[in-house]
Amino acid sequence: MKRLATVVICLGWICQMGKAQGIRTSGYGDTIREVSFRPVWGSTPDTVPHIDWHKGLTYKQPFPYQSFILPAAMIAYGATAVHNGTLQKVNADVKEQIWQDNPHSLFHLDNYLQFAPTLSVYALNAAGIHGAHNFKDRTIILVMANIIANGSVFTVKSWSHEQRPNGSDYLSFPSGHTAEAFVGAEFMRMEYKDVSPWYGVAGYAMATATGLLRVYNDAHWFSDVVAGAGFGIASTRLAYWLYPKVQHLFGKNTNPETVNVVMPTYNSGTFGLSYVKVF
């Protein structure tokens, strides 16, 4: 009986120590990503990743209308400028001041700078400065944001048929480079807003520089860049809101180490479906 009592006491003590270790959460909302347990004898804690218990039911969150007011206003400004004389004069004045009054050589940094905010997120994580999501989750969110942004931008380009200021083609509105840059800027802000707001400021600075360079290189009107920024921001915010719902719909019956994503796509007049499987 003494031995049995000793075993019971020891087991109870171990259970209490296990409860004291708690559960660590990370990722979007209240989704539990890791469970950590430290044995009582002091060895390194074991970590079991990717246990998806939707404690906060984040996939049931209502649509955040307020966060889309600014990007919607930016898109509306650009769309109005396509046929509005007053806003077209603003475009012409900006071109005159930047290009006609100050002739200069083209500076093609914008072709590379558009990807800088996105690449910075992965570089920071590689350096040990971790954001809101793990590699798998943030990659799926980024893919979703780019599918939404590219699909909407190229659809509107084909419908608007606006000529570029340099006369090279009729795909000026909205700016695809700027949209891509602001997808990355908002992606960087969302991943690191709980670490420091300055990461978001840096991302938006790089995206703004991309847009200005598009005007500087006479590839876009000012209104094209404003609308492109709106499309980029809105696409990323929509992806962050949709991702928990995609997890719930496509990931609940699959291996917890993998997630399947199916999204509509549009490119150069062709509609289709994009299937992404991340391990």
Side-chain angles (χ1 to χ4, degrees):
M1 290 296 294
K2 290 183 178 181
R3 291 182 179 180
L4 179 59
T6 301
V7 170
V8 171
I9 292 172
C10 289
L11 287 175
W13 182 56
I14 291 173
C15 291
Q16 291 297 321
M17 291 296 293
K19 291 179 181 178
Q21 297 305 315
I23 297 176
R24 296 184 298 158
T25 64
S26 64
Y28 186 70
D30 296 323
T31 302
I32 296 177
R33 298 296 182 197
E34 296 181 347
V35 176
S36 179
F37 175 77
R38 183 184 298 278
V40 295
W41 48 88
S43 64
T44 303
D46 296 324
T47 300
V48 183
H50 309 304
I51 297 181
D52 290 325
W53 296 331
H54 295 283
K55 180 181 177 181
L57 299 179
T58 55
Y59 63 91
K60 290 188 177 181
Q61 290 183 350
F63 187 77
Y65 293 99
Q66 291 184 342
S67 67
F68 287 85
I69 293 176
L70 177 60
M74 297 169 77
I75 296 171
Y77 173 87
T80 303
V82 174
H83 299 294
N84 182 276
T86 301
L87 297 183
Q88 286 179 346
K89 187 178 184 303
V90 172
N91 285 339
D93 289 344
V94 171
K95 175 178 178 174
E96 183 178 354
Q97 293 178 18
I98 293 179
W99 185 258
Q100 294 176 342
D101 291 348
N102 299 283
H104 51 265
S105 301
L106 300 181
F107 188 53
H108 294 296
L109 180 63
D110 49 339
N111 291 330
Y112 310 99
L113 190 59
Q114 62 177 318
F115 303 112
T118 297
L119 294 176
S120 297
V121 172
Y122 287 90
L124 287 168
N125 276 274
I129 305 174
H130 299 296
H133 292 84
N134 59 33
F135 179 86
K136 181 194 73 176
D137 291 337
R138 68 173 176 268
T139 300
I140 295 174
I141 292 170
L142 179 63
V143 169
M144 291 172 62
N146 274 282
I147 289 173
I148 296 168
N150 284 292
S152 56
V153 164
F154 284 102
T155 299
V156 175
K157 276 181 179 288
S158 64
W159 288 349
S160 63
H161 201 63
E162 182 185 24
Q163 188 177 29
R164 293 183 188 271
N166 59 17
S168 60
D169 59 39
Y170 288 86
L171 298 172
S172 188
F173 177 80
S175 170
H177 281 65
T178 308
E180 177 64 38
F182 276 88
V183 163
E186 181 64 10
F187 178 58
M188 190 172 185
R189 187 190 74 84
M190 291 293 289
E191 286 297 307
Y192 286 99
K193 63 182 180 180
D194 294 330
V195 178
S196 171
W198 290 107
Y199 291 109
V201 171
Y204 270 82
M206 290 184 280
T208 301
T210 301
L212 293 176
L213 282 172
R214 297 305 286 165
V215 178
Y216 180 85
N217 289 329
D218 205 30
H220 282 287
W221 302 104
F222 173 72
S223 58
D224 301 338
V225 168
V226 173
F231 276 108
I233 295 170
S235 297
T236 302
R237 291 182 181 179
L238 182 59
Y240 271 90
W241 179 73
L242 284 173
Y243 181 57
K245 305 177 190 309
V246 171
Q247 276 189 310
H248 179 67
L249 291 174
F250 295 99
K252 61 183 179 180
N253 294 321
T254 62
N255 187 323
E257 294 294 330
T258 66
V259 170
N260 304 283
V261 180
V262 180
M263 293 287 290
T265 62
Y266 176 88
N267 190 13
S268 301
T270 304
F271 289 92
L273 290 175
S274 175
Y275 174 78
V276 180
K277 187 181 184 71
V278 179
F279 296 88

